[in-house]
Amino acid sequence: MAVNINSVYQKVLTLLNKEQRGYLTPQEFNLLADRAQNETFESYFHKIKVSEMKPKNEADYADVLEMLEEKLHPFHVDYSVTSSDGSITLTSMYKLVSITREGKRMTQVNKNEIDYINGNPLTKPTVNRSLFVREDANNITIHPAPTVSTSFEVTYYKEPTAPSWGYVVVNEKALYNSNTSVDFDLHACEEEPLVSRILILAGTTIKQPDAQQAGAQDMQLTQTQQNS
């Protein structure tokens, strides 16, 4: 279940207005909401890395990792694509996990290494020992290139969709419009941390340090409760 964009915006406005800290326009909120979601999403991979480095006999290891994997599950993509020239293009890819060719997992190499590898008979890739190169963020080249249309299985994590609080203007007031809104892609448990993070970012936007402090205190309280 995703986080409702209107729920987060209303909570942010309520906390900002509680002590006359200012008003956050829908445009400002949408920009900060996108940044807060991306920061939260990116933190999952760092937390997984930290969890994997912990001693395996810690009782909470499996639970922490399982929770992070559950949060990342909506972004996990298993994609089958065909190519006849060795070029693969993927959209909205954040992190590539693996590519397989005829059931065999391929190895990634750097772009500046592939010419040397292809020129050496001992390291030159084969269909059973294929390589791939990331040309840029979304384009991949397969070595050796297939001579006929070939299927490849690609596993990756996609980028979150930018959240947006849609609205219509009635009597010079912005009213929530669910038809044009885009909810956060994050797990429902991230609603309160998102509110806190947006408050911190909003404190800079509207030049209200106490809004930043309120958000930071809420985040600290949430972290304390989670770790207790």
Side-chain angles (χ1 to χ4, degrees), residues 6 14 19 47 58 81 85 98 102-103 121-122 131 144 149 159 164 166 169 184 193 203-204 209 215 228:
N6 187 49
T14 298
E19 298 179 13
K47 291 176 180 177
E58 287 193 9
V81 59
D85 62 0
S98 66
E102 297 183 359
L122 297 177
L131 307 176
S149 182
E159 297 176 342
S164 177
V169 177
F184 291 92
T204 301
S228 62

Side-chain angles (χ1 to χ4, degrees), residues 49-62 64:
K49 182 178 179 180
V50 172
S51 296
E52 290 176 338
M53 292 173 63
K54 290 182 179 180
K56 300 301 186 292
N57 59 353
E58 287 193 9
D60 64 342
Y61 168 78
V64 171

Side-chain angles (χ1 to χ4, degrees), residues 93-135:
M93 180 173 63
Y94 176 80
K95 181 178 177 61
L96 179 64
V97 177
S98 66
I99 304 178
T100 59
R101 179 179 190 169
E102 297 183 359
K104 296 180 177 62
R105 185 162 178 161
M106 300 170 59
T107 301
Q108 180 176 350
V109 297
N110 294 330
K111 190 173 183 179
N112 58 1
E113 297 176 326
I114 194 61
D115 288 340
Y116 171 79
I117 293 173
N118 279 327
N120 189 326
L122 297 177
T123 59
K124 188 174 182 177
T126 65
V127 171
N128 290 327
R129 185 173 51 81
S130 297
L131 307 176
F132 70 90
V133 174
R134 293 283 297 273
E135 301 293 345

Side-chain angles (χ1 to χ4, degrees), residues 2-63:
V3 178
N4 181 268
I5 188 78
N6 187 49
S7 178
V8 173
Y9 188 31
Q10 296 308 321
K11 287 181 179 180
V12 169
L13 290 181
T14 298
L15 291 170
L16 286 176
N17 294 332
K18 185 178 180 181
E19 298 179 13
Q20 302 300 313
R21 290 167 175 155
Y23 177 72
L24 194 67
T25 68
Q27 294 86 353
E28 291 171 333
F29 171 78
N30 285 339
L31 289 173
L32 300 183
D34 185 37
R35 178 173 172 180
Q37 174 170 256
N38 286 334
E39 288 179 352
T40 302
F41 174 71
E42 291 166 4
S43 73
Y44 294 157
F45 297 95
H46 173 70
K47 291 176 180 177
I48 286 177
K49 182 178 179 180
V50 172
S51 296
E52 290 176 338
M53 292 173 63
K54 290 182 179 180
K56 300 301 186 292
N57 59 353
E58 287 193 9
D60 64 342
Y61 168 78
D63 292 337

